[in-house]
C-alpha cells in the first residue's frame, strides 16, 4: 500500500479528495496494464495457436480458415482494441472450445462464484475479527496460544486437502451434506445454502486463519501504542480503551487485512470449486486452461484481476478516509 | 547459539523436514517398489504387502509417496531458490541504485502483484508449453515479486544506517558495502522469509499439480497424487488424503521453523528496558 | 497535616529476556521511600536506568511491559494503592492522580479532538458536567498560555506543535483537579527555547491550581527550577534526598556533586592562530527541488582547535555536516581543506581526502555495524587506509583501545555487549584509526547520560591535545560549547546568525536570536526561571 501521508502537501485544502482520486486513477491504470499483460501473453505464445489447436496434421487451408474464423489474421493492436471494447460492454468473444459466446457462460458462473465467496466472507470476516480480539485480549495466555497454534496449522493445509476431508466425513461417512455441490438456476436460497455448506466451510477454514492472524498483529500494534497507555493511566476500563481508543485507529489496518484476504478468497474459490465440482468461474477457468481455450482464460483472468484490484483499492480508500490527518488537514 | 534455546516446536519442524529430505534423497533405497510399477489391484486397502494400500492404477502408494517427496521437495526448493535469487538481486539493486532503476523495477513489481498469483499462473501455463522447466520458472518469477518487496525494504532499512554511511565515507566500494555491511544484517529476516516462501512453494506446486497444471504424469508428486486418487473419495477410499496429509505435515513443519526464526529475529531487535 | 503521598520501601522488578538465554528476574528499584505534602513538587533525577520513570508510574500503580511492583507501599492519603483492586485503581487514575508523558505527540490519540481527550476522564468519573469540564479546560488552556484557548481544543493532535501538545497534556492532567500529577520528562523532547516556555507554563499551572507533583527528568538544572525537594537516583537506589537548595548548593554525595559540576565547567579558549584547516565558503544547499536548508554559510576552523556549531532542530547544522562530508553536494559555495577546494561529492574525493575528515555520529548504536567485533570495526580503516594486516593491525587496534581508555579485553566483543559510552568510545577509536586532520562530531554526547557524556568530552579534549586533531562540534547544548569549544557559530533557519571566538560570541551585545537562545538555557541555580521570565516581561531591565 503506498504511503498516504507522503503525498500530502502543506496548504493543500483537500488532500483527502485528491488522494482518493489519485488512488482511483491508479486502479484504472493498473487494470489497463493488466489487460495488456493478459492479452499480450497470447502474442508471446510459442508457435501458432491455430496449428496447435488443430494438430500437426491439419492442412494449411484448414489452419488459414480457423485463423480467419478466430480473427487471428488481424493485427494484434486491432484485436486488442476489439477485445477491450467488447470486454467493457461485457462481451468476451467466442469460446474456442464450445464455439459459444463466453459471456453467456461467465454470467451465471460469476454469480455462482460471488455467492460462494460472499457467504464465506459473511461468515469469516466477523469470526476473524472476533477471534483476533479474543486472542489479543488474552494475549500470551491459553486462548491466544490455542488460537495461534490452530491457525498456524490451518494456514499450512492445502485447500484441496481440507475440501476432501470435509467431503469424506460430512458427505460420505456421515451423509450430512451433498457432494458434488451442484447448483442450477431456479434453486431456492435455502436449498442453495445447503448445497454450498461444505465448500463454504472449506473456504472459511482456509481464509479465517490468515485473516485472524493478521487482525491479531494489527490489533497488537495499535494496543502497544503510547496513547493506549495514556488511556490506561486515565483509568479507563479495558472495554472503553478498546472501543474508543484502539478501534478508530485499528480500522484502517484491519480493513486492509480483510481486503487482502477477500482477494485471497477469490483465489481460494478456484481450488474449492474444482474440488466440489461447483459450477463457478474458477472451475471454468481451470477447464479452459487445460484445453487452452484462450478467450475464456483471458476473460476469467481479467475478471479475477479486476475484482482483486477493486478490493485492494477499496481497502486503500477506506484507509485514506479513516486517517484523521487527511480528514482534518492543518 | 545454544541448542537448548531452540523450542520444542522448532525441533518438531526440523525433524519433520529432515525425515522428508531423507526420503527424497534415498528414495530408491527406502521404497519397496518403484513409483511406476503396477503391483496390485486398484485401490487395495493397506496390508502387509502395501503398507498404505495401492492407488487408482494399482501402484504401491507408499512407494509413490517416497518418490513423490523427491519431486515435491526438489521442484519447490528449486523454485524457491530461483525466486529468492531473483527477488533479492533485483530488490537490493533497486534499493542500492535508487532513482529510475528503482522506480521501473518497483512499478513493474506492483503490476505483477496486482494479479492474484494463482490466476497469473493459470494464464501463464495456458500459454506456455507444459514442461518442468517452465513450471519452475513460472513459480519462481511469480513468487519473486514478494521477495523483491521484502529484499528492497530490508536493504533500504539497513542502507540508511549510519554504519553504512560511515563505510561509504571511508571510500568503500559497493561490493564491500553490500556483502560486508548490509547482507550480514539482513540474514536473519531473509532466512525466515526463505522459509515462508518455501512453504508457499510447496503449497503452490501441490495446488497446480492438483489442478492438472503442475507435474505431469506418470511422474509422482504429492499434489498430483491427490488428483489421481480423488475419485476414490466418493467410494469412501481415503488414498487421496495420504498425500494431502503429507503436504500439510511438511508445510506445518516448515512453518514451525519459520515461526521460531521470526521470533528470534524480533527478540534480537527487541525493545530495550526503560528506566 | 498528614502527607498526601508516602512511598515506603518501594521495590520493583522485571523479567528480562536476554536473547538465547532463559528469562531471569532483575531488580529495577530497591528500597525507595519518600513523602510528598499537598501542593509540593518532588524532583526525581537520575540517568537512564536509574528507575525514575518506573517509580513515577508506580505512584499510579502501573508497571510498563513486564515490570512488576514486588514490595513496599504507595500510600495516597493513607490508603495503599498497591493493595487496591483494578476497579479502585482506575477510579484514582485520571481523577486523583494524573500523568504527563514525555512524548505528548505519541500519547494523544490521533483519532480524537484534543478537548474530548482532555475532559474524557473528568466526565467519566462524574466530577463535572460536560459544560463545566469544557469551561475548565478552556481556562487551563489559557493558564498554560495556549493560543486561542476557546477553540484550541477543537483541533486534532496533528494540527498543533509539539510544545503546544505538551501543554495540552498538562491541561488534560490538571482538568479533574487532581491531588497529584506525575510529569515524566515533559520537556526533554523539546527544543531549548520551547522548553523554557513549557517549563514556565507547567510551573505556573502547578502554582495556580495548588496540585502536588512528581517531576521526573535527567536534567538537574531543569528540576532545580520547579522542585521543592529533589531525590537523586542511581541504579534504582536513592543516592541523596533533600530540599532542592541543599542538593544544588551543598550536595552531600560525590555522585550528586559530579552531576552538579558536570554542567558548570568552562574552559578558556585557545589563541587564534591563522592557519585554517577547514573553510566553508558561501555554501547554500537543499534537498531535492525544495528550498535551501543552508543559505550562504561561511565558517573557518583553525588547526588544532574546536569550532562548535550551535542551533535548534531544523537550524541546518546537520545539513552542514552532510555538505562537509560530501554526502550532500552544495548548490553553491565551496569547502576548502588546507586551502584547497574539496570535490563537492564524496564519491569524487580520493581515499586520502576521505581519510583526513572523519565523522562521529550522535547514535553510536547505529554507527557501529552490529555484526562486526571491535577488532574488525577499528581494524578496517587501518587495513583500508594503511594496509596494516595480522599482528601489526592487532597491535595498533590494541594501542587505540588503550588510547580511548578501554583494554584489549574488548577486542572480540560485539557492539551489543558494550555500554552506550563504550560504543561511542569505539566510534572515536575508529575515527582516530584513520589519523584524520578533522573529526566532525555530530552531537556525540546528546544521547548519553551527563556523567558518561562528560567522560567522552574529557577523552576528546585529551585526544585534541595529544594528536593535534581539529574538531567541528555540532551541538544544541551551550554548556558543552562553554566547556569544550574555542570558537562558535550559532545557526538559525539555515543561516549563521553569529560567529566568532567563544568569548566574544557569547558576550553582549547580542542579536535577538542569540539573546533568546542564551536566556533559555537553564542554569543550575534556584530562581533562575523566575528571573528569566521577569526579564522577558520587562525587557528594559
Amino acid at each position: 500500500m503506498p504511503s498516504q501521508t507522503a503525498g500530502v502537501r502543506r496548504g493543500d485544502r483537500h488532500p483527502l479528495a485528491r488522494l482518493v482520486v489519485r488512488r482511483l486513477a491508479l486502479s484504472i491504470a493498473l487494470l489497463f496494464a493488466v489487460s495488456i499483460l493478459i492479452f499480450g501473453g497470447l502474442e508471446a505464445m510459442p508457435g501458432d495457436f491455430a496449428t496447435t489447436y488443430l494438430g500437426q496434421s491439419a492442412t494449411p487451408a484448414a489452419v488459414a480458415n480457423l485463423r480467419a474464423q478466430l480473427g487471428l489474421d488481424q493485427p494484434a493492436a486491432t484485436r486488442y482494441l476489439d477485445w477491450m471494447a467488447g470486454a467493457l460492454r461485457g462481451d468476451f468473444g467466442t469460446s474456442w472450445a464450445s464455439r459459444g459466446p463466453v459471456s453467456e457462460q461467465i454470467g451465471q458462473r460469476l454469480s455462482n462464484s460471488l455467492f460462494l465467496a460472499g457467504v464465506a466472507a459473511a461468515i469469516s470476516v466477523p469470526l476473524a475479527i472476533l477471534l483476533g480480539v479474543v486472542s489479543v485480549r488474552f494475549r500470551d495466555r491459553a486462548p491466544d496460544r490455542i488460537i495461534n497454534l490452530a491457525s498456524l496449522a490451518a494456514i499450512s493445509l492445502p485447500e484441496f486437502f481440507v475440501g476432501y476431508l470435509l467431503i469424506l466425513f460430512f458427505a460420505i461417512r456421515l451423509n450430512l451434506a451433498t457432494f458434488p455441490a451442484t447448483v442450477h438456476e431456479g434453486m431456492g436460497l435455502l436449498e442453495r445454502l445447503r448445497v454450498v455448506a461444505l465448500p463454504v466451510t472449506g473456504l472459511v477454514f482456509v481464509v479465517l486463519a490468515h485473516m485472524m492472524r493478521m487482525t491479531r498483529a494489527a490489533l497488537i500494534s495499535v494496543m502497544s501504542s503510547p496513547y493506549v497507555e495514556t488511556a490506561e493511566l486515565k483509568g479507563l476500563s479495558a472495554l472503553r480503551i478498546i472501543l474508543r481508543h484502539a478501534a478508530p485507529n485499528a480500522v484502517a489496518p484491519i480493513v486492509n487485512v480483510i481486503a487482502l484476504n477477500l482477494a485471497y478468497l477469490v483465489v481460494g474459490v478456484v481450488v474449492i470449486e474444482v474440488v466440489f465440482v461447483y459450477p463457478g468461474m474458477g472451475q471454468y477457468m481451470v477447464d479452459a486452461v487445460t484445453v487452452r481455450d484462450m478467450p475464456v482464460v483471458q476473460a476469467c483472468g481479467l475478471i479475477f484481476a479486476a475484482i482483486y484490484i477493486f478490493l485492494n483499492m477499496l481497502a486503500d480508500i477506506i484507509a485514506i478516509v479513516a486517517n484523521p490527518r487527511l480528514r482534518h488537514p492543518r | 547459539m545454544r541448542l537448548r534455546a531452540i523450542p520444542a516446536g522448532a525441533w518438531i519442524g526440523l525433524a519433520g523436514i529432515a525425515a522428508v529430505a531423507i526420503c527424497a534423497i534415498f528414495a530408491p533405497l527406502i521404497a519397496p517398489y518403484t513409483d511406476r510399477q503396477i503391483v496390485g489391484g486398484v485401490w487395495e486397502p493397506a496390508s502387509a504387502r502395501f503398507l498404505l494400500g495401492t492407488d487408482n492404477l494399482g501402484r504401491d502408494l507408499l512407494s509413490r509417496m517416497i518418490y513423490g517427496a523427491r519431486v515435491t521437495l526438489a521442484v519447490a526448493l528449486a523454485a524457491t531458490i530461483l525466486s529468492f535469487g531473483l527477488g533479492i538481486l533485483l530488490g537490493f539493486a533497486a534499493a542500492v541504485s535508487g532513482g529510475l532503476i528503482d522506480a521501473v523495477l518497483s512499478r513493474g513489481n506492483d503490476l505483477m502483484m496486482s494479479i492474484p498469483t494463482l490466476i497469473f499462473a493459470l494464464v501463464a501455463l495456458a500459454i506456455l508449453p507444459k514442461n518442468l522447466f517452465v513450471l519452475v520458472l513460472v513459480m519462481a518469477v511469480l513468487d519473486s515479486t514478494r521477495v523483491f518487496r521484502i529484499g528492497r525494504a530490508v536493504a533500504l532499512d539497513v542502507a540508511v544506517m549510519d554504519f553504512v554511511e560511515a563505510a561509504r565515507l571511508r571510500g568503500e566500494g559497493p561490493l564491500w558495502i553490500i556483502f560486508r555491511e548490509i547482507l550480514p544484517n539482513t540474514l536473519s529476516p531473509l532466512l525466515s522469509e526463505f522459509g515462508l516462501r518455501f512453504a508457499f512453494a510447496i503449497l503452490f506446486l501441490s495446488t497446480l499439480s492438483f489442478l492438472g497444471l503442475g507435474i505431469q504424469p506418470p511422474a509422482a508428486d504429492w499434489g498430483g497424487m491427490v488428483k489421481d486418487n480423488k475419485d476414490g473419495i466418493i467410494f469412501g477410499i481415503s488414498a487421496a488424503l495420504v498425500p494431502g496429509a503429507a503436504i500439510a505435515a511438511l508445510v506445518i513443519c516448515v512453518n514451525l521453523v519459520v515461526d521460531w526464526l521470526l521470533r528470534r529475529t524480533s527478540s534480537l531487535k527487541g525493545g530495550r528496558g526503560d528506566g | 497535616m498528614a502527607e498526601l503521598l508516602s512511598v515506603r520501601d518501594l521495590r520493583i522488578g522485571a523479567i528480562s529476556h536476554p536473547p538465547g538465554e532463559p528469562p531471569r528476574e532483575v531488580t529495577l528499584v530497591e528500597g525507595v521511600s519518600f513523602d510528598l505534602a499537598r501542593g509540593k513538587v518532588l524532583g526525581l533525577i537520575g540517568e537512564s536506568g536509574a528507575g525514575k520513570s518506573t517509580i513515577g508510574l508506580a505512584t499510579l500503580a502501573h508497571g510498563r511491559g513486564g515490570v512488576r511492583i514486588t514490595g513496599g507501599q504507595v500510600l495516597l492519603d493513607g490508603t495503599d494503592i498497591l493493595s487496591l483492586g483494578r476497579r479502585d485503581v482506575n477510579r484514582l487514575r485520571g481523577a486523583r492522580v494524573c500523568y504527563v508523558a514525555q512524548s505528548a505527540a505519541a500519547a494523544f490519540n490521533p483519532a480524537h479532538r484534543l478537548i474530548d481527550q482532555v475532559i474524557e476522564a473528568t466526565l467519566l468519573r462524574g466530577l463535572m458536567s460536560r459544560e463545566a469540564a469544557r469551561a475548565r479546560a478552556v481556562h487551563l488552556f489559557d493558564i498554560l498560555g495556549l493560543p486561542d484557548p476557546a477553540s484550541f481544543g477543537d483541533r486534532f493532535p496533528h494540527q498543533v506543535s509539539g510544545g503546544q501538545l505538551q501543554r495540552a497534556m498538562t491541561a488534560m492532567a490538571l482538568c479533574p483537579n487532581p491531588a497529584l500529577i506525575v510529569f515524566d520528562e515533559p520537556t526533554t523532547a523539546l527544543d531549548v527555547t520551547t522548553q523554557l516556555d513549557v517549563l514556565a507554563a507547567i510551573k505556573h499551572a502547578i502554582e495556580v491550581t495548588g496540585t502536588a507533583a512528581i517531576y521526573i527528568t535527567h536534567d538537574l538544572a531543569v528540576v532545580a527550577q520547579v522542585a521543592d525537594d529533589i531525590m537523586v537516583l542511581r541504579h534504582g537506589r536513592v543516592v541523596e534526598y533533600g530540599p532542592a537548595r541543599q542538593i544544588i548548593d551543598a550536595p552531600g554525595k560525590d555522585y550528586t556533586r559530579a552531576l552538579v559540576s558536570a554542567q558548570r565547567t568552562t574552559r578558556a579558549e585557545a589563541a587564534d592562530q591563522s592557519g585554517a584547516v577547514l573553510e566553508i565558503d558561501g555554501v547554500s544547499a537543499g534537498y531535492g527541488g525544495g528550498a535551501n536548508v543552508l543559505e550562504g554559510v561561511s565558517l573557518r576552523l583553525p588547526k588544532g582547535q574546536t569550532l562548535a556549531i550551535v542551533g535548534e532542530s531544523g537550524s541546518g547544522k546537520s545539513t552542514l555536516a552532510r555538505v562537509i562530508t560530501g554526502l550532500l553536494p552544495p548548490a553553491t559555495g565551496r569547502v576548502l581543506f588546507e586551502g584547497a577546494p574539496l570535490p563537492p561529492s564524496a564519491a569524487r574525493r580520493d581515499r586520502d581526502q576521505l581519510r583526513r575528515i572523519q565523522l562521529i555520529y550522535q547514535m553510536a548504536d547505529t554507527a557501529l555495524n552490529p555484526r562486526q567485533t571491535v577488532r574488525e570495526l577499528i581494524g578496517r580503516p587501518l587495513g583500508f587506509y594503511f594496509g596494516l594486516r595480522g599482528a601489526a593491525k592487532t597491535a595498533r587496534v590494541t594501542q587505540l583501545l588503550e588510547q580511548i581508555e578501554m583494554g584489549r579485553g574488548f577486542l572480540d566483543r560485539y557492539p551489543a555487549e558494550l555500554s552506550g559510552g563504550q560504543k561511542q568510545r569505539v566510534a572515536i577509536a575508529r575515527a582516530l584509526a584513520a589519523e584524520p586532520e578533522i573529526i566532525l562530531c555530530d552531537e556525540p554526547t546528546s544521547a548519553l547520560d551527563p556523567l558518561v557524556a562528560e567522560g567522552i568530552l574529557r577523552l576528546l579534549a585529551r585526544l585534541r591535545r595529544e594528536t593535534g586533531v581539529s574538531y567541528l562540534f555540532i551541538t544544541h547544548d551551550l554548556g558543552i560549547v562553554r566547556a569544550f569549544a574555542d570558537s562558535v557559530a550559532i545557526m538559525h533557519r539555515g543561516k549563521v546568525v553569529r560567529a566568532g571566538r567563544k568569548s566574544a560570541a557569547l558576550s553582549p551585545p547580542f542579536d535577538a536570536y542569540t539573546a533568546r537562545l542564551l536566556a533559555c538555557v537553564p542554569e543550575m541555580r534556584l530562581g533562575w526561571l523566575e528571573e528569566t521570565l521577569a526579564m522577558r516581561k520587562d525587557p528594559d531591565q
Side-chain angles (χ1 to χ4, degrees), chain C residues 147-190:
Chain C
D148 201 1
S151 67
F152 178 82
D154 293 334
R155 301 194 213 171
F156 282 84
H158 67 272
Q159 292 172 320
V160 306
S161 73
Q164 289 173 347
L165 273 181
Q166 210 67 50
R167 281 184 258 184
M169 187 140 198
T170 306
M172 180 157 86
L174 284 165
C175 189
N177 209 357
L180 173 67
I181 300 183
V182 177
F183 291 93
D184 194 352
E185 306 236 17
T187 64
T188 304
L190 303 174

Side-chain angles (χ1 to χ4, degrees), chain A:
Chain A
M1 196 176 69
S3 149
Q4 296 132 17
T5 40
V8 180
R9 285 192 296 261
R10 263 202 196 178
D12 188 345
R13 287 272 187 80
H14 302 289
L16 193 64
R18 200 169 53 78
L19 281 175
V20 169
V21 168
R22 207 172 66 174
R23 187 65 187 81
L24 277 168
L26 177 72
S27 299
I28 294 170
L30 214 51
L31 200 57
F32 188 65
V34 166
S35 75
I36 292 180
L37 205 63
I38 288 177
F39 187 86
L42 185 65
E43 299 303 312
M45 195 162 85
D48 183 78
F49 191 82
T51 320
T52 323
Y53 186 72
L54 290 172
Q56 293 298 331
S57 56
T59 61
V63 170
N65 198 8
L66 184 71
R67 284 178 58 90
Q69 203 185 331
L70 298 176
L72 289 180
D73 48 354
Q74 304 281 326
T78 316
R79 280 186 289 123
Y80 171 72
L81 289 176
D82 282 351
W83 179 66
M84 264 316 273
L88 288 175
R89 278 181 283 117
D91 172 13
F92 289 96
T94 310
S95 160
W96 291 353
S98 72
R99 302 293 165 94
V102 176
S103 332
E104 223 164 71
Q105 285 279 338
I106 281 188
Q108 187 55 40
R109 287 172 175 272
L110 181 60
S111 71
N112 284 349
S113 287
L114 289 179
F115 180 71
L116 183 62
V119 176
I123 296 172
S124 52
V125 170
L127 204 56
I129 294 177
L130 184 73
L131 285 178
V133 171
V134 167
S135 195
V136 171
R137 181 71 189 75
F138 298 97
R139 194 175 167 193
D140 288 332
R141 305 230 295 273
D144 181 32
R145 278 163 203 266
I146 292 167
I147 292 176
N148 208 17
L149 210 64
S151 64
L152 183 74
I155 60 167
S156 306
L157 303 187
E159 290 94 340
F160 52 83
F161 179 61
V162 175
Y164 286 124
L165 268 182
L166 289 171
I167 292 171
L168 188 66
F169 284 101
F170 291 100
I172 312 291
R173 295 269 161 87
L174 300 172
N175 214 3
L176 283 175
T178 44
F179 173 81
T182 321
V183 290
H184 48 78
E185 272 178 85
M187 224 177 199
L189 181 67
L190 277 181
E191 179 68 6
R192 221 173 240 270
L193 283 174
R194 204 180 59 78
V195 169
V196 298
L198 269 197
V200 162
T201 313
L203 270 181
V204 167
F205 187 82
V206 174
V207 176
L208 185 62
H210 280 279
M211 212 186 283
M212 177 260 138
R213 281 174 84 88
M214 289 159 80
T215 305
R216 176 180 182 270
L219 273 177
I220 283 180
S221 96
V222 171
M223 288 302 284
S224 55
S225 53
Y227 54 77
V228 168
E229 188 183 53
T230 305
E232 274 178 56
L233 291 176
K234 275 157 83 173
L236 309 188
S237 66
L239 193 67
R240 188 177 168 91
I241 290 174
I242 290 177
L243 291 183
R244 174 144 179 97
H245 287 276
N249 295 292
V251 166
I254 288 180
V255 163
N256 207 32
V257 164
I258 290 172
L260 210 69
N261 283 283
L262 290 185
Y264 189 81
L265 193 71
V266 170
V267 181
V269 145
V270 174
V271 178
I272 287 290
E273 283 180 2
V274 171
V275 169
F276 288 91
V277 203
Y278 180 84
M281 283 266 293
Q283 198 206 31
Y284 191 40
M285 184 176 186
V286 171
D287 288 348
V289 170
T290 317
V291 300
R292 306 203 165 200
D293 187 348
M294 289 318 293
V296 177
V297 173
Q298 285 173 337
C300 293
L302 194 64
I303 290 172
F304 274 126
I307 295 173
Y308 189 82
I309 289 172
F310 173 76
L311 285 172
N312 277 323
M313 179 188 78
L314 210 60
D316 282 359
I317 287 180
I318 291 177
I320 291 170
V321 173
N323 187 336
R325 285 166 195 276
L326 299 175
R327 252 184 312 150
H328 310 281
R330 271 169 193 273

Side-chain angles (χ1 to χ4, degrees), chain B residues 5 13 60 72-73 95 108 126 128 139 155 161 165 169 215 221 231 269:
Chain B
D60 177 41
T72 304
L73 219 51
L128 298 169
M139 285 175 63
M161 299 282 250
E165 189 183 291
L169 287 179
I215 305 289
D221 87 309
D231 293 336
K269 266 191 212 156

Side-chain angles (χ1 to χ4, degrees), chain B residues 10-89:
Chain B
W11 274 121
I12 296 172
L14 288 170
I17 296 169
V20 176
I22 288 169
C23 282
I25 295 165
F26 302 106
L29 300 177
I30 299 171
Y33 309 95
T34 72
D35 57 332
R36 306 193 178 174
Q37 224 172 347
I38 293 176
V39 291
V42 173
W43 284 324
E44 277 188 34
S47 64
R49 240 185 107 207
F50 309 115
L51 288 176
L52 291 175
T54 60
D55 74 352
N56 62 326
L57 296 178
R59 297 169 291 195
D60 177 41
L61 202 58
L62 177 65
S63 305
R64 277 183 73 75
M65 287 293 299
I66 292 171
Y67 278 93
R70 199 174 234 204
V71 179
T72 304
L73 219 51
V75 174
L77 198 62
T80 312
I81 290 172
L82 197 60
S83 97
F84 223 71
L86 199 65
I88 293 292
L89 194 74

